[in-house]
Amino acid sequence: MIEVEDVYFRYPNGVEALKGVSLTIKNGEFVAIMGQNGAGKTTLVKHFNGLLKPTKGRVLVDEAETTKVSVATLARKVGFVFQNPDHQLFCETAEEEIAFALKNFGFKETIIKRRVQWALNLLGLTQYKKISPFMLSGGERKRVALASVLAWNPKILILDEPTIGQDYQQKEKLRQFILQMKTQRKTVIIVTHDVEFVAECNPRVVLMREGKIVADGEAKEILTNEEVLTQASIVPPQIAQIFMQMPSLQLPKNIIDVYEAREILLKMLRSDAK
Amino acid sequence: MPVIETKNLTYTYPGGTKPSISDVSIKIKKGEFALITGPSGCGKTTLCRCFNGLIPHFYQGELKGEIKVTGLNILENPIYEMAKHVGLVFQNPENQLFALSVEKDVAFGLENLGVPREEIRKRVNWTLNLTGIYDLRERAPHELSGGQQQRVAIASILAMQPEVMVLDEPTSFLDPLSAKKIFKVIYELNKKLGITVVLVEHRLDLTARYADHIIVMDDGKVVLDGEPREILSSEEARLIGIGIPKATRLYHILKKDGVKLSNTVPLSSDEMANLLKEALKVHD
Amino acid sequence: MSVFDGLKFRRVYSPIHNLDPRIKFIYVLAIFVIAIIFWELIPLIVLFIIQIPFVVLAGVKREWLRSMRGGAFLASIIFVTNFVVAYFAGRGLAESLENAIALTLRFIVLIESFSIFFLTTSPDHLGLALEQTGMPYEFCFAFTTAVRFVPVLAEEAQTIMDAQKARGLELERGNFLKRIRNYIPILIPLIVSAIRRSLELAEAMESRAWGATKKRTNLYVLKIHKNDFFLIVITIGILATAIFIRLYVPIPSLNQLLKGIF
């Protein structure tokens, strides 16, 4: 469980990136933190594994305050996958890359072997285990980076902008993967401004703007609330936009899924035909 | 006469074992807004690099087939000659700005061409106004947001007054609102100045509505090429897994269910909402 | 982060910032020469004081003080060694002290004038000045591009460090050799990304007609304005006075002066 209590954060250069954020994320939750670039999303999640410490307020991970534990200790619980895989890949083979963190955490050799196998397999990378990550395509590098974090099986997983530069199929695979994590009762936190992706996953959405949380709730409630979306400079998902443009029909407002939209429209269109 | 024309274009990077694009034959007409899409690694970026001669002049490698851009054979013209006719905007705005101020960056291409100073000043101001960044002209690149940086990159190409502008996923690092604004700028340049636009994009939900022409690539080949409404309705497009706009998807799902909707396939939420209103006979 | 913040250039306007860097450089050289030809305390004090209006006019007091503080350590070494050497060579206490202060002040005057130059000259201007003094364009371009990318790379290094820490890397762990090895997971991604970045930059440069003509033009041009003219006059004035004093006027030491008064 992550508890954020009235956290303020100021960078050394004076920029105040968080201005009083309070938030609780329970075990097994799937949360999307959304907002414009510069709203403080990444700054917030960097507090979850202790990379940043609050200037004021406190952050608790499983009841332990992050200022009292090292990043390495917190990282065992909180896996953080950065936006750009090239900022972490450095080993000669994908296999070594995945073993890196396990060695840092002092796992035994036999366990490391097993875990590496498991992670490679989970993300469909087994055929690349002896290949240099630098030879792989962008999408594959992203998967190696993900595998290198999953390997130590953290109970909380943070993905920073996982869909940037990904094509439709890669996003679909990512969605499947997150759902799989969810069934294993893992906490998954994604930082993103990809509304269509969030609309398809339907997680809890935390909307940020200028270092503050402006809305928090179910995706279909938040992503259809024009007022808060405008505040956070987020464009509503397309299905929501369609519904917003037909106010006189008194349609239910909280629709972001294509198939839900279909059900409602079919009913209307058919009753209309009669 | 097409502005861009390729015939059986095949290219292999130096040291590559298989061609990155093969047998590409396309025509893009003057003034068109063309959209190139397809899964990652399908050869879109490689094709873009051919349009101003980065391939083969910069990348070397083996280029076969024919390619003419604005009537010029890229094999016979150096990149700086092609740069006067074709502008390329890349994915990462950070790596295409070199100068310490916005206006200096916008002037960079013209300086390289040896354009007289008074003329540079005139064109720089014209471009800054057109792209809405005149107020930022003295800022340093690190003082700008990603969206502003990409506008500068577009302006710096525009200042060279090319006939064709090629943009390779120009918004993938931007948030949707900034992306939307960038696409609008591009669309206006296309409509107002008649610049031919070739846009490489995954985000069809934001761009399909602007396109006159869509080219879908997969595994180095052109698999679909034609009118957007037709392409985005095709079963092939869905199977390749390009991100078909949700409005278009909804239209087809309803059609399949036997709902009577007009035959013009919608590409945006506005168009879809209008179709539905028409079908339900409501007026908002 | 904070260490690199100092490298972020910012455009500031002041009469001093707007001066032609070439003229400013000549001024710095003149001060340099004067500081070298005097070893007496009084003229060096004068030299130190006459530069203060420049700092005030440019509005860079805080930055200037910071750079002076940066030189403090070296200055104290210069002071101590000169004092000790002179004292043990048998010169009186007062004389040794004055001599050591003078030599330290000479060093401080040098820092003072150089910091005025660098604090009030934007890298942009400096690149332009280099270009217009006939430096090959490629060199000037490399200079300004390097300045442009320093903050970017610094930020990137920070991100990479965070990414590896998140994978359990502890930089402070182990003995000296181990600690150096700890930096490999940071250096490799940094180098790889710099290479990738430079390739992208090259591509973008080519696409903007890099190397199209030998006769490259420039949006900006440095012109001598009224203020620059002023600075030339001031510089020549100070230099001429200094040379005249050096040649024809005997300079009393502070000790002698004080003795004369009391």
Side-chain angles (χ1 to χ4, degrees):
Chain A
M1 187 158 88
I2 298 173
E3 291 156 282
V4 181
E5 296 173 0
D6 198 27
V7 163
Y8 286 77
F9 183 77
R10 187 194 292 270
Y11 280 102
N13 63 9
V15 175
E16 193 154 37
L18 297 179
K19 301 171 190 165
V21 172
S22 296
L23 177 72
T24 304
I25 296 174
K26 292 199 207 83
N27 288 338
E29 263 195 296
F30 173 24
V31 182
I33 299 181
M34 302 189 73
Q36 232 189 345
N37 289 346
K41 299 170 297 194
T42 302
T43 307
L44 176 63
V45 291
K46 278 188 177 174
H47 278 81
F48 297 169
N49 69 344
L51 281 172
L52 298 177
K53 316 276 186 197
T55 322
K56 219 177 98 189
R58 50 184 209 155
V59 178
L60 303 165
V61 176
D62 283 348
E63 275 138 41
E65 199 172 336
T66 57
T67 44
K68 297 190 177 123
V69 205
S70 73
V71 177
T73 319
L74 273 171
R76 285 290 298 269
K77 264 185 203 156
V78 187
F80 195 130
V81 185
F82 278 65
Q83 179 178 336
N84 185 347
D86 297 339
H87 285 156
Q88 64 166 73
L89 302 181
F90 73 100
C91 294
E92 277 168 49
T93 65
E95 199 174 36
E96 285 173 48
E97 195 67 55
I98 297 170
F100 174 68
L102 298 171
K103 282 183 194 151
N104 286 334
F105 291 137
F107 281 87
K108 274 198 226 114
E109 200 57 46
T110 45
I111 297 180
I112 294 182
K113 253 196 180 147
R114 218 176 53 218
R115 285 289 179 83
V116 170
Q117 271 315 326
W118 173 80
L120 283 166
N121 191 29
L122 184 68
L123 289 160
L125 292 164
T126 310
Q127 76 252 45
Y128 302 127
K129 71 176 183 187
K130 295 283 178 207
I131 290 177
S132 159
F134 299 114
M135 302 295 288
L136 300 175
S137 75
E140 287 158 352
R141 286 207 295 275
K142 239 176 147 120
R143 260 148 63 207
V144 174
L146 181 56
S148 79
V149 172
L150 277 176
W152 75 83
N153 204 13
K155 56 185 268 198
I156 300 168
L157 189 62
I158 300 172
L159 308 172
D160 190 4
E161 296 291 3
T163 63
I164 272 195
Q166 300 288 94
D167 66 31
Y168 185 75
Q169 280 170 326
Q170 290 165 333
K171 283 189 199 178
E172 187 49 34
K173 271 190 200 147
L174 179 71
R175 194 171 74 91
Q176 296 301 341
F177 167 78
I178 293 174
L179 292 178
Q180 196 182 334
M181 292 286 108
K182 234 174 101 180
T183 57
Q184 293 172 20
R185 297 286 301 153
K186 291 247 192 287
T187 310
V188 181
I189 301 166
I190 61 173
V191 171
T192 184
H193 41 53
D194 189 334
V195 253
E196 295 297 344
F197 182 74
V198 174
E200 279 179 29
C201 298
N202 200 21
R204 167 181 169 194
V205 171
V206 172
L207 204 57
M208 292 188 70
R209 175 181 177 245
E210 289 172 10
K212 285 182 185 152
I213 293 178
V214 289
D216 182 351
E218 250 185 292
K220 54 186 194 177
E221 301 299 335
I222 306 284
L223 294 184
T224 51
N225 184 338
E226 247 184 309
E227 203 189 312
V228 294
L229 288 179
T230 329
Q231 261 188 44
S233 305
I234 298 262
V235 185
Q238 235 174 24
I239 296 296
Q241 283 181 39
I242 296 171
F243 276 49
M244 281 172 193
Q245 286 176 53
M246 301 184 292
S248 64
L249 287 177
Q250 310 275 315
L251 298 168
K253 274 201 77 184
N254 56 349
I255 303 299
I256 49 175
D257 181 78
V258 184
Y259 289 93
E260 271 183 54
R262 162 185 177 245
E263 292 306 315
I264 291 165
L265 291 169
L266 274 183
K267 248 184 238 159
M268 295 219 54
L269 289 159
R270 289 205 170 123
S271 68
D272 206 51
K274 284 170 202 163
Chain B
M1 193 189 73
V3 172
I4 296 176
E5 186 170 16
T6 71
K7 260 188 217 140
N8 307 104
L9 199 65
T10 302
Y11 173 74
T12 315
Y13 282 103
T17 45
K18 80 187 239 289
S20 294
I21 52 172
S22 54
D23 247 347
V24 171
S25 302
I26 54 163
K27 278 182 192 167
I28 292 170
K29 279 189 275 192
K30 191 168 165 41
E32 239 180 17
F33 193 118
L35 198 58
I36 302 181
T37 191
S40 295
C42 71
K44 303 175 298 240
T45 298
T46 304
L47 184 59
C48 284
R49 287 174 178 151
C50 297
F51 293 154
N52 76 340
L54 280 173
I55 287 174
H57 301 303
F58 182 76
Y59 280 94
Q60 311 290 316
E62 195 191 353
L63 185 69
K64 280 187 281 189
E66 284 171 43
I67 170 165
K68 269 192 173 175
V69 181
T70 64
L72 301 168
N73 185 337
I74 59 155
L75 290 172
E76 290 158 7
N77 290 283
I79 303 172
Y80 59 75
E81 191 55 42
M82 295 309 298
K84 294 181 201 166
H85 306 277
V86 189
L88 247 69
V89 175
F90 301 89
Q91 188 171 20
N92 189 346
E94 201 159 62
N95 293 344
Q96 29 187 337
L97 305 180
F98 332 102
L100 301 175
S101 72
V102 166
E103 61 177 8
K104 188 82 174 123
D105 242 312
V106 175
F108 183 74
L110 299 173
E111 292 177 344
N112 284 334
L113 292 171
V115 174
R117 176 170 313 112
E118 300 71 37
E119 176 68 18
I120 296 183
R121 173 49 70 192
K122 245 184 9 211
R123 281 214 237 166
V124 166
N125 287 351
W126 171 78
T127 315
L128 289 172
N129 279 317
L130 209 62
T131 43
I133 50 174
Y134 188 78
D135 294 338
L136 306 176
R137 66 190 180 282
E138 291 192 339
R139 296 271 196 92
H142 68 77
E143 295 174 309
L144 305 176
S145 71
Q148 289 170 331
Q149 285 187 347
Q150 199 57 284
R151 260 174 211 244
V152 178
I154 291 175
S156 64
I157 288 302
L158 191 63
M160 295 169 80
Q161 298 179 334
E163 292 131 85
V164 186
M165 206 171 211
V166 182
L167 306 104
D168 188 3
E169 297 190 43
T171 67
S172 55
F173 291 121
L174 309 183
D175 55 82
L177 199 70
S178 311
K180 218 174 147 183
K181 284 184 194 157
I182 292 285
F183 291 135
K184 233 171 139 197
V185 169
I186 299 168
Y187 181 67
E188 275 165 15
L189 296 176
N190 172 251
K191 281 287 156 292
K192 276 191 201 153
L193 306 178
I195 297 176
T196 309
V197 169
V198 180
L199 178 64
V200 173
E201 251 315 316
H202 288 307
R203 292 180 177 179
L204 299 183
D205 51 333
L206 292 175
T207 51
R209 74 183 76 170
Y210 300 129
D212 307 310
H213 179 180
I214 290 189
I215 294 166
V216 181
M217 294 181 70
D218 192 18
D219 200 19
K221 293 188 180 67
V222 171
V223 285
L224 296 165
D225 181 349
E227 211 271 325
R229 292 174 208 278
E230 211 171 292
I231 301 271
L232 294 181
S233 309
S234 68
E235 193 60 17
E236 290 102 308
R238 215 168 57 84
L239 291 176
I240 295 164
I242 61 172
I244 294 171
K246 288 285 174 317
T248 315
R249 280 287 292 142
L250 182 61
Y251 170 85
H252 285 296
I253 292 172
L254 290 174
K255 269 272 192 190
K256 238 186 206 161
D257 287 322
V259 175
K260 281 203 189 80
L261 288 167
S262 128
N263 279 327
T264 328
V265 181
L267 297 177
S268 65
S269 55
D270 314 17
E271 288 178 1
M272 183 62 193
N274 286 335
L275 281 184
L276 286 171
K277 282 183 211 166
E278 206 177 283
L280 292 160
K281 299 184 185 67
V282 291
H283 305 282
D284 274 319
Chain C
M1 263 293 254
S2 53
V3 186
F4 297 107
D5 275 347
L7 293 167
K8 289 190 179 174
F9 41 93
R10 198 147 277 136
R11 205 165 302 270
V12 186
Y13 293 98
S14 83
I16 306 295
H17 283 86
N18 290 349
L19 290 169
D20 188 315
R22 293 169 295 182
I23 312 277
K24 258 190 275 185
F25 195 68
I26 292 173
Y27 162 80
V28 171
L29 281 183
I31 297 290
F32 192 87
V33 169
I34 300 170
I36 296 294
I37 63 175
F38 287 101
W39 50 87
E40 296 88 349
L41 185 55
I42 294 172
L44 287 166
I45 292 177
V46 174
L47 208 53
F48 179 77
I49 292 171
I50 56 172
Q51 292 197 83
I52 291 178
F54 285 102
V55 178
V56 177
L57 265 177
V60 291
K61 260 175 287 173
R62 201 182 317 152
E63 294 85 347
W64 177 72
L65 280 175
R66 204 178 302 150
S67 61
M68 299 303 278
R69 225 178 294 143
F73 178 67
L74 218 54
S76 47
I77 289 181
I78 293 175
F79 175 77
V80 172
T81 41
N82 277 297
F83 176 72
V84 169
V85 169
Y87 188 70
F88 284 103
R91 297 163 79 173
L93 177 68
E95 199 193 327
S96 308
L97 205 57
E98 181 169 346
N99 180 54
I101 295 175
L103 291 174
T104 312
L105 197 58
R106 177 193 273 177
F107 171 72
I108 291 175
V109 166
L110 295 185
I111 303 187
E112 185 185 30
S113 54
F114 271 103
S115 66
I116 290 176
F117 179 77
F118 283 106
L119 289 175
T120 64
T121 306
S122 75
D124 224 358
H125 253 108
L126 194 58
L128 199 59
L130 288 175
E131 214 178 311
Q132 289 189 13
T133 38
M135 195 70 82
Y137 177 69
E138 286 79 1
F139 177 84
C140 307
F141 180 78
F143 169 75
T144 47
T145 313
V147 174
R148 150 134 180 56
F149 279 99
V150 164
V152 176
L153 287 179
E155 211 159 295
E156 183 153 54
Q158 184 64 50
T159 308
I160 292 171
M161 232 182 271
D162 282 349
Q164 304 299 35
K165 274 199 223 157
R167 295 204 293 165
L169 177 69
E170 287 177 284
L171 291 170
E172 311 299 325
R173 200 165 62 178
N175 58 24
F176 182 69
L177 272 179
K178 174 82 171 70
R179 280 188 193 199
I180 293 179
R181 277 231 313 275
N182 285 346
Y183 276 88
I184 292 177
I186 289 161
L187 283 176
I188 293 178
L190 195 60
I191 293 167
V192 169
S193 134
I195 293 171
R196 206 165 275 171
R197 194 185 287 282
S198 60
L199 202 70
E200 281 183 28
L201 273 171
E203 226 183 346
M205 280 162 62
E206 292 279 344
S207 304
R208 275 153 75 185
W210 173 262
T213 164
K214 285 252 161 350
K215 283 196 208 118
R216 209 178 171 276
T217 46
N218 205 315
L219 174 65
Y220 301 134
V221 64
L222 289 174
K223 279 201 200 113
I224 308 286
H225 293 285
K226 203 171 72 195
N227 285 345
D228 296 308
F229 205 69
F230 248 31
L231 185 62
I232 296 179
V233 172
I234 294 172
T235 308
I236 293 174
I238 299 176
L239 193 62
T241 319
I243 293 173
F244 177 79
I245 293 175
R246 176 76 292 168
L247 292 177
Y248 302 109
V249 182
I251 305 169
S253 81
L254 196 62
N255 282 310
Q256 289 160 345
L257 212 63
L258 291 174
K259 273 180 204 148
I261 295 171
F262 298 108

